[in-house]
Amino acid sequence: MSIESLQPLQPLLRVSRIDKSYGSTQILKACSLEIVPKETIVVIGPSGSGKSTLLRCLNLLETVDAGKIFFEGRELTRERNRQHLVRQEIGMVFQNFELFSHLSAAENIMLAPMKVLGMSRHDAHDLALSLLDKVRLRDRADAFADELSGGQQQRVAIARALAMKPKLMLYDEPTSALDPEMIREVLDVMAELSAEGMTSIVVTHEMGFARRAADKIVFMDAGEVVETASSDQFFSGVAHERARRFLDQILH
């Protein structure tokens, strides 16, 4: 075994004590976390605890008031003028699918590679079909958004994010707008991507997915990162009282 293989993986993303307020209301309070390549982190916590705001700060959709965010060693909090480049490397899937209704599933996926990466239409179409295969929707390539179920639309949205070949995927409660019978099809795709090595941070209330796919659990409450633990450690006996109360409420 080489010396290099014994070295710990360097974080792909490192968040150091970030704060975020809207007016006089503080949403994030000195939040810190790290994620290494191929790791999946699930962020859980009660509504209003700052989970979605944290993700939006990571993708530069929000400006932090204090603290620093590093991606591959670069300080993103210094790169506000390079937001579009950051978002090529950090994909994000939202609660609402935000597909263009006048475009087919394939065309929704093709748009960014053609416009941003300069890919030819032919190559973008081939890419779209391969990604639709990955999310099990090849047969719906020509369907428009309003012809797809909510679960299918969200899987197209995941494929659209993957089309930019991101190094990190952020999911902001991607199943919260879905009917119960559609949730599993989206979570299955996300779990498969994690198993294949896609580095991911997922905000969700789906504890089954957290147990199945997460390497680490981050518990947030009242704008703070209260506890960070491996999935096994977290579900076998969380240390913090606030986290225990949350789990008791959501699992019973």
Side-chain angles (χ1 to χ4, degrees):
M1 183 178 293
S2 68
I3 292 175
E4 289 79 4
S5 66
L6 296 173
Q7 298 297 317
L9 285 173
Q10 293 300 306
L12 177 68
L13 178 84
R14 181 165 66 86
V15 181
S16 178
R17 298 185 61 81
I18 62 171
D19 294 342
K20 176 64 182 177
S21 296
Y22 297 114
S24 61
T25 303
Q26 188 168 7
I27 307 299
L28 299 178
K29 305 171 186 176
C31 291
S32 298
L33 63 81
E34 291 185 353
I35 187 167
V36 299
K38 300 186 178 182
E39 188 174 45
T40 294
I41 290 178
V42 169
V43 183
I44 66 173
S47 297
S49 58
K51 306 182 301 294
S52 293
T53 301
L54 174 63
L55 287 198
R56 292 178 64 82
C57 289
L58 302 186
N59 205 31
L60 302 188
L61 292 170
E62 299 285 356
T63 305
V64 300
D65 300 325
K68 296 180 179 181
I69 302 169
F70 298 90
F71 183 75
E72 293 190 315
R74 306 185 335 254
E75 187 182 340
L76 297 190
T77 35
R78 293 178 177 268
E79 298 193 12
R80 295 297 303 176
N81 59 339
R82 300 177 70 247
Q83 297 173 19
H84 62 293
L85 297 177
V86 170
R87 291 179 195 142
Q88 289 178 35
E89 299 181 305
I90 303 178
M92 189 157 178
V93 177
F94 300 88
Q95 297 177 26
N96 298 315
F97 327 121
E98 299 184 357
L99 299 180
F100 292 108
S101 60
H102 66 289
L103 299 178
S104 69
E107 288 169 336
N108 267 281
I109 298 167
M110 293 163 60
L111 190 62
M114 291 170 59
K115 296 288 188 182
V116 178
L117 303 181
M119 192 177 288
S120 71
R121 185 173 184 85
H122 178 271
D123 288 347
H125 187 258
D126 286 347
L127 174 64
L129 292 183
S130 71
L131 290 171
L132 286 169
D133 265 335
K134 184 176 283 292
V135 300
R136 306 191 200 111
L137 285 173
R138 175 71 174 258
D139 62 330
R140 304 294 280 155
D142 296 326
F144 292 98
D146 59 3
E147 298 174 321
L148 302 174
S149 70
Q152 290 172 335
Q153 290 185 59
Q154 191 62 293
R155 282 186 281 158
V156 172
I158 291 171
R160 179 180 58 185
L162 293 173
M164 298 301 289
K165 298 181 171 59
K167 297 175 182 176
L168 171 65
M169 284 283 283
L170 308 176
Y171 300 91
D172 184 11
E173 300 197 36
T175 60
S176 65
L178 300 180
D179 293 331
E181 65 271 16
M182 298 176 186
I183 290 174
R184 182 61 183 265
E185 63 192 44
V186 174
L187 295 179
D188 282 348
V189 165
M190 293 166 55
E192 287 169 11
L193 290 171
S194 292
E196 292 169 4
M198 171 58 71
T199 314
S200 307
I201 302 177
V202 184
V203 169
T204 185
H205 289 291
E206 298 293 334
M207 293 301 100
F209 173 83
R211 288 179 185 270
R212 171 186 175 192
D215 297 296
K216 284 195 306 198
I217 305 291
V218 170
F219 174 73
M220 292 185 67
D221 192 18
E224 299 176 306
V225 172
V226 175
E227 185 166 353
T228 301
S230 72
S231 179
D232 288 343
Q233 289 173 328
F234 189 85
F235 286 108
S236 64
V238 293
H240 201 284
E241 175 62 27
R242 279 193 279 176
R244 284 199 297 271
R245 287 201 306 268
F246 175 77
L247 272 187
D248 285 344
Q249 290 171 353
I250 203 165
L251 294 177
H252 296 98

